[in-house]
């Protein structure tokens, strides 16, 4: 949902066109009509029975008109409420702009429908996000175990340590991805710490390469591609560069950016991950560059939208969630992620403020 609304938002405490005013006006008009007809009867010597008939007919017509204006919105509200009870949150009540109590009620029902639709959308996106993020460690773990089973690699301590590391990360992802359900209910706390950038990013690239080195059909990343012909290059300066961030969240960012870059790289292309220090202590600037077709400038603002696969992304098996998850994780750090100018391919620029992260 888009955030908290002030109490009573959208409601009008008083309106000159309220239902009470309309009903009072109806009574007054009926009395005036009856009185006017009686005066006419007295002056023209018209029989009282004709005056009575005319008064009843006039009152009924006015009452019918007012009743229709009051009951028609109620019928529409009933239809919308029944649709909502059956899971259809797209219906809205007409007449929310009315300047009476029924207009307030229609606006309130529409606000409720908006909130329910947002909750339902976030629930579906959460399921998709969890499935999307779990594929990377599962693919890497499967690659390690299949290599051991097929005799490609021995079950030595180093190999088993790699499998254990992926299993531990899988467990952490189950917990951290559930934080997506709290996106609209406050800031998810970060477990930020200082770490060395070179060995950290080297490990991320190694895991990406390990997953891609599996046999054909093995998903190498969260998008499900099977590319193993793309060269991953790491450029960190200075080599002893350190940063202050949540390593697990940052792993989500880098892994998804690499996965996206690899999927859009040409055969035997090159993906470069470049890291430099930020302006503040512990700050970090990351760039992920590929040699693919790039992204048209008029699409830059849509790159990080959920389920947006782009014109070049069709048929790659991706869900269009990777870059959206990256933007979410970067936003938790108070950082920025965007598409930057590049002479070739696509260049994604990530800026993390480090210890100077803005509150909230």
């Amino acid at each position: 949902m888009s955030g908290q609304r002030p109490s009573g938002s959208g409601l009008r405490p008083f309106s000159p066109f309220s239902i009470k005013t309309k009903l009072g006006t109806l009574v007054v008009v009926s009395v005036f009509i009856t009185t006017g007809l009686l005066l006419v009867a007295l002056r023209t010597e018209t029989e009282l029975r004709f005056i009575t008939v005319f008064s009843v007919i006039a009152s009924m017509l006015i009452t019918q008109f007012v009743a229709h204006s009051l009951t028609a919105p109620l019928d529409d509200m009933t239809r919308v409420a029944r649709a909502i009870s059956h899971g259809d949150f797209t219906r809205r009540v007409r007449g929310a702009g009315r300047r009476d109590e029924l207009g307030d009620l229609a606006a309130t029902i529409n606000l409720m429908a908006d909130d329910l639709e947002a909750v339902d959308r976030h629930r579906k996106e959460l399921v998709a996000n969890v499935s999307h993020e779990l594929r990377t460690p599962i693919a890497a773990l499967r690659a390690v175990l299949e290599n051991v089973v097929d005799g490609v690699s021995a079950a030595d301590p180093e190999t088993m340590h790699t499998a254990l590391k992926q299993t531990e990360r899988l467990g952490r992802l189950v917990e951290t991805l559930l934080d997506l359900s709290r996106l609209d209910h406050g800031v998810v706390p970060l477990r930020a710490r200082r770490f060395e950038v070179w060995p950290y990013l080297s490990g991320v690239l190694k895991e990406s390469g390990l997953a891609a080195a599996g046999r054909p059909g093995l998903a190498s990343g969260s998008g499900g591609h099977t590319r193993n012909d793309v060269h991953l290059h790491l450029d960190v300066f200075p080599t002893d560069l350190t940063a202050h961030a949540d390593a697990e969240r940052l792993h989500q960012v880098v892994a998804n950016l690499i996965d996206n870059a690899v999927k859009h790289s040409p055969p035997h292309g090159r993906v470069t991950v470049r890291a430099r220090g930020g302006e503040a202590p512990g700050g970090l600037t990351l760039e992920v560059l590929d040699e693919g077709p790039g992204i048209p400038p008029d699409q830059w603002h849509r790159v990080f939208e959920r389920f947006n696969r782009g014109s070049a992304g069709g048929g790659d098996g991706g869900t269009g969630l990777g870059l959206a998850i990256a933007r979410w994780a970067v936003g938790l750090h108070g950082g920025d992620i965007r598409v930057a100018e590049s002479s070739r391919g696509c260049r994604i620029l990530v800026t993390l403020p480090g210890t100077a992260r803005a509150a909230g």
Side-chain angles (χ1 to χ4, degrees), residues 182-194:
R182 300 165 58 192
L183 278 173
D184 298 307
H185 302 283
V187 177
V188 178
L190 294 175
R191 298 179 178 89
R193 62 177 177 84
R194 185 171 293 276

Side-chain angles (χ1 to χ4, degrees), residues 307-330:
F307 306 107
N308 175 47
R309 306 185 187 187
S311 58
D316 58 19
T319 60
L321 292 170
L323 293 182
I325 293 173
R327 180 183 61 176
W328 168 73
V330 171

Side-chain angles (χ1 to χ4, degrees), residues 224-242:
H225 66 80
T226 57
R227 300 290 300 277
N228 56 12
D229 61 334
V230 178
H231 176 64
L232 302 180
H233 176 68
L234 179 61
D235 177 14
V236 179
F237 183 83
T239 55
D240 60 348
L241 177 65
T242 61

Side-chain angles (χ1 to χ4, degrees), residues 190-205:
L190 294 175
R191 298 179 178 89
R193 62 177 177 84
R194 185 171 293 276
F195 59 90
E196 295 185 11
V197 176
W198 175 274
Y200 173 78
L201 292 180
S202 179
V204 177
L205 266 68

